[in-house]
Amino acid sequence: WFDPRLPPGCMPNILGQDTNPVELILVKEQNGVQFTSTTLVTPTPTQTNPSGEEERETWGKKIDFLLSVIGFAVDLANVWRFPYLCYKNGGGAFLVPYLFFMVIAGMPLFYMELALGQYNREGAAGVWKICPIFKGVGFTVILISLYVGFYYNVIISWAMFYLFSSFTGELPWVHCNNTWNSPNCSDWADNGSVSDIYKATPAQEYFERAVLHIQDSNGIDNLGRPRWQLTSCLAVVIVLLYFSLWKGVKTSGKVVWITATMPYVVLTVLLLRGVTLPGAIDGIKAYLSVDFLRLCDAKVWIEAATQICFSLGVGFGVLIAFSSYNKFSNNCYRDAIITSSINSLTSFFSGFVVFSFLGYMSQKHNVALDKVARDGAGLVFVIYPEAIATLPGSSVWAVIFFIMLLTLGIDSAMGGMESVITGLIDEFKFLHKHRELFTLFIVVSTFLISLFCVTNGGMYVFTLLDHFAAGTSILFGVLIEAIGIAWFYGVDRFSDDIEEMIGHRPGRYWRLCWKFVSPCFLLRLAYAITPETEHHLVDNGEVRQFTVRVNSIILYGNLYGSTVL
């Protein structure tokens, strides 16, 4: 018997969706005497979503999810890519196309992936139960994330190597009298003169010859054995990743409290130091100088579109995996606006840090700013270490800087691996009970393949992976994903799903972007992956990158301003 006097909150819920205590009153009559016993029972908590499916584990706190998304999206490219793009494409004027594409494509795609994962409660492959013919897209993005991990972890190991090397009285990339230096080493090479074309700075030779050992390999057919120093650093990175991921979001959600916040602390400290250096203001002025005439160049708009697409991290399955651990009623719309905005603001803020030091280097060596302004690995592993080496207490500043690079890389790598792990264990349910072992299998496999990138000729393998891992494939994957949601599953149905979660439908603007604007945006990016001399082929629908060539592979990389062939 259930006592009808109990308040509604204490009544038993036969659907299993309420975990309030239930008071059971048992009335038993024996020989005309009634015996009453009262028992307080707490039902087993079994949360279900509106479709009746049992829910998975969720983030310990909402901030764990936000920091995880921010930590994944804010990576090394925010420091070494965006500031340089801004500088060479009109300074402050570059923000016009950047913000334009962020509003019409970046945020809508970001919002779409968060909502897709949160509603369906599965990884990148499992979410396509809404339209099974597109499940291949889910496996594609999982494979891309795994593929990127093969070389992205190597970048983190470089930062680890530099970090260990910084614990010394004098930084090893200051002079040319080391065993790894060549006769071409010079304290500073002014590339403006013919005689200095083949000169290299100590910092450049340290990266090339002491870290990478490029001089010991003459091509991809002569890799050599893995170098024990980089292999050890890579092993440390893999161990950190494993113990951050092995228990799922319960552990990774705590790790990001450090890895996602540390870069902001270090960037602020570096900015405060940078603006006090001579020439720093000139560098910042160059970074912010506005040249609206550059907006007439289509290349500026293409680079802004490309930067938005890759910097937000859509298409890797990470946003889907992270949001699948949210509570069903979580406001994913607000999360999308907050996290994508923080990502872009971080890129802009890091530009002040980078160009304060570049301005200092320009004045110190009495050369034009464009002689020292670079992007990519050359900025963070050559130019910045060289600038830090000239400061008082250089070892301390180097340790701080490379800790920042390490934390920037770790949480992005965590996101990529979580995409793979979540995507596969959700698709193959028996793996749920063996997450720790499966996570170990994934990280060890990644480590073994990454060993090719820490050999003497590892830079050739690294460049090959970097150029073909997440370029065209990501754009194609996101395009098919957007088409699958907007045109096959249906924007109206997808909007109903969002209303079921957050209580209101997306506005007309978002629905138009999902159905028309974002897919068109992704298709015009064919220009961004094609040399300018071949743009006429794109107009005719002939994109060389979509053609498979089996007769030869040409390896070409642009590493910190020099060419690797």
Side-chain angles (χ1 to χ4, degrees), residues 302-357:
I302 291 171
E303 291 196 334
T306 307
Q307 178 66 14
I308 279 294
C309 184
F310 291 109
S311 68
L312 289 178
V314 294
F316 289 93
V318 179
L319 302 179
I320 295 175
F322 281 165
S323 62
S324 70
Y325 295 107
N326 278 333
K327 295 179 180 179
F328 186 78
S329 58
N330 176 66
N331 192 336
C332 55
Y333 168 71
R334 181 178 56 198
D335 294 345
I337 300 298
I338 292 174
T339 52
S340 58
S341 298
I342 289 177
N343 174 71
S344 297
L345 289 173
T346 304
S347 298
F348 184 65
F349 176 68
S350 65
F352 290 90
V353 181
V354 170
F355 275 86
S356 64
F357 278 85

Side-chain angles (χ1 to χ4, degrees), residues 482-502:
I483 292 174
I485 293 295
W487 291 92
F488 286 80
Y489 183 62
V491 167
D492 290 337
R493 185 183 296 176
F494 187 56
S495 299
D496 292 339
D497 295 344
I498 295 176
E499 183 179 16
E500 192 175 349
M501 291 188 295
I502 66 177

Side-chain angles (χ1 to χ4, degrees), residues 57 70 82 90 116 123 202 209 234 268 347 351 382 494 534 544 547:
E57 64 172 324
I70 292 170
F82 176 84
L116 182 64
R209 303 173 66 87
L234 182 61
T268 302
S347 298
V382 177
F494 187 56
E534 299 180 14
R544 177 174 54 83
T547 304

Side-chain angles (χ1 to χ4, degrees), residues 44-344:
T44 303
T46 306
Q47 295 178 324
T48 59
N49 63 18
S51 63
E53 296 179 354
E54 186 175 338
E55 296 220 12
R56 57 168 61 198
E57 64 172 324
T58 58
W59 297 94
K61 297 180 181 179
K62 173 65 176 288
I63 190 65
D64 295 352
F65 164 71
L66 294 177
L67 288 177
S68 295
V69 174
I70 292 170
F72 165 71
V74 177
D75 66 349
L76 295 167
N78 292 73
V79 176
W80 76 25
R81 181 64 176 162
F82 176 84
Y84 178 77
L85 285 179
C86 195
Y87 164 71
K88 80 168 188 174
N89 289 313
F94 181 72
L95 296 177
V96 174
Y98 180 83
L99 294 176
F100 173 73
F101 286 123
M102 179 180 176
V103 170
I104 70 165
M107 281 186 174
L109 292 172
F110 200 91
Y111 181 17
M112 180 186 74
E113 288 205 347
L114 290 185
L116 182 64
Q118 182 172 309
Y119 184 82
N120 292 284
R121 323 293 289 160
E122 297 208 31
V127 294
W128 289 106
K129 60 189 178 184
I130 63 174
C131 192
I133 196 174
F134 286 92
K135 180 165 285 191
V137 178
F139 285 112
T140 296
V141 299
I142 291 173
L143 181 61
I144 291 172
S145 291
L146 181 64
Y147 198 63
V148 169
F150 296 155
Y151 69 91
Y152 193 84
N153 294 335
V154 176
I155 302 176
I156 307 174
S157 70
W158 294 346
M160 182 80 71
F161 186 95
Y162 271 84
L163 176 62
F164 291 149
S165 301
S166 299
F167 290 99
T168 180
E170 184 179 60
L171 295 175
W173 53 84
V174 175
H175 301 297
C176 291
N177 57 356
N178 302 287
T179 57
W180 58 79
N181 289 125
S182 71
N184 294 326
C185 183
S186 174
D187 285 343
W188 179 258
D190 181 4
N191 293 329
S193 61
V194 177
S195 61
D196 286 333
I197 290 179
Y198 299 104
K199 294 293 184 180
T201 63
Q204 183 175 338
E205 286 212 340
Y206 181 77
F207 183 47
E208 286 184 9
R209 303 173 66 87
V211 179
L212 303 181
H213 280 260
I214 293 179
Q215 75 276 10
D216 296 329
S217 174
N218 55 16
I220 197 170
D221 59 335
N222 181 27
L223 296 179
R225 295 180 179 179
R227 299 196 60 83
W228 71 267
Q229 297 94 333
L230 284 180
T231 301
S232 301
C233 293
L234 182 61
V236 173
V237 171
I238 292 299
V239 170
L240 289 175
L241 288 174
Y242 175 72
F243 285 106
S244 298
L245 296 169
W246 70 320
K247 292 294 185 180
V249 296
K250 298 299 183 183
T251 53
S252 64
K254 300 300 179 287
V255 173
V256 292
W257 279 78
I258 298 175
T259 58
T261 57
M262 179 66 74
Y264 292 97
V265 175
V266 176
L267 282 173
T268 302
V269 172
L270 290 175
L271 178 61
L272 294 176
R273 182 65 181 97
V275 294
T276 64
L277 298 173
I281 301 302
D282 294 332
I284 293 175
K285 286 181 178 178
Y287 170 56
L288 296 178
S289 62
V290 178
D291 182 7
F292 285 108
L293 293 179
R294 294 285 291 137
L295 298 182
C296 298
D297 187 353
K299 184 179 179 181
V300 174
W301 292 80
I302 291 171
E303 291 196 334
T306 307
Q307 178 66 14
I308 279 294
C309 184
F310 291 109
S311 68
L312 289 178
V314 294
F316 289 93
V318 179
L319 302 179
I320 295 175
F322 281 165
S323 62
S324 70
Y325 295 107
N326 278 333
K327 295 179 180 179
F328 186 78
S329 58
N330 176 66
N331 192 336
C332 55
Y333 168 71
R334 181 178 56 198
D335 294 345
I337 300 298
I338 292 174
T339 52
S340 58
S341 298
I342 289 177
N343 174 71
S344 297

Side-chain angles (χ1 to χ4, degrees), residues 5-18:
R5 297 168 296 178
L6 291 175
C10 291
M11 292 294 289
N13 191 318
I14 60 174
L15 296 179
Q17 294 182 357
D18 197 324

Side-chain angles (χ1 to χ4, degrees), residues 377-556:
L379 176 63
V380 295
F381 292 114
V382 177
I383 298 299
Y384 228 95
E386 184 174 3
I388 289 175
T390 64
L391 302 177
S394 56
S395 295
V396 176
W397 290 109
V399 168
I400 293 174
F401 176 72
F402 289 112
I403 286 178
M404 180 192 72
L405 292 189
L406 194 63
T407 54
L408 278 173
I410 282 290
D411 47 16
S412 296
M414 284 168 53
M417 284 199 173
E418 187 61 58
S419 170
V420 176
I421 296 167
T422 297
L424 293 179
I425 66 175
D426 283 346
E427 187 64 21
F428 305 101
K429 303 297 185 182
F430 69 93
L431 293 174
H432 272 285
K433 297 180 180 179
H434 311 285
R435 180 185 170 101
E436 293 87 350
L437 288 177
F438 183 65
T439 301
L440 181 63
F441 170 75
I442 292 295
V443 298
V444 170
S445 300
T446 301
F447 170 75
L448 293 176
I449 296 177
S450 297
L451 290 177
F452 287 102
C453 295
V454 295
T455 57
N456 293 334
M459 180 50 64
Y460 299 101
V461 180
F462 177 91
T463 306
L464 184 67
L465 293 174
D466 185 32
H467 276 64
F468 294 100
T472 308
S473 54
I474 280 292
L475 297 179
F476 182 76
V478 179
L479 173 63
I480 301 302
E481 184 180 286
I483 292 174
I485 293 295
W487 291 92
F488 286 80
Y489 183 62
V491 167
D492 290 337
R493 185 183 296 176
F494 187 56
S495 299
D496 292 339
D497 295 344
I498 295 176
E499 183 179 16
E500 192 175 349
M501 291 188 295
I502 66 177
H504 59 84
R505 290 170 61 84
R508 183 174 300 175
Y509 170 78
W510 299 103
R511 300 198 301 272
L512 288 174
C513 285
W514 288 330
K515 194 157 190 174
F516 301 107
V517 180
S518 295
C520 292
F521 160 81
L522 293 167
L523 285 172
R524 66 175 292 167
L525 281 185
Y527 283 94
I529 58 173
T530 305
E532 292 182 358
T533 55
E534 299 180 14
H535 280 183
H536 65 285
L537 297 178
V538 179
D539 296 332
N540 296 329
E542 303 174 17
V543 183
R544 177 174 54 83
Q545 283 81 350
F546 294 149
T547 304
V548 177
R549 293 187 177 186
V550 295
N551 59 334
S552 65
I553 296 179
I554 299 176
L555 179 60
Y556 178 85

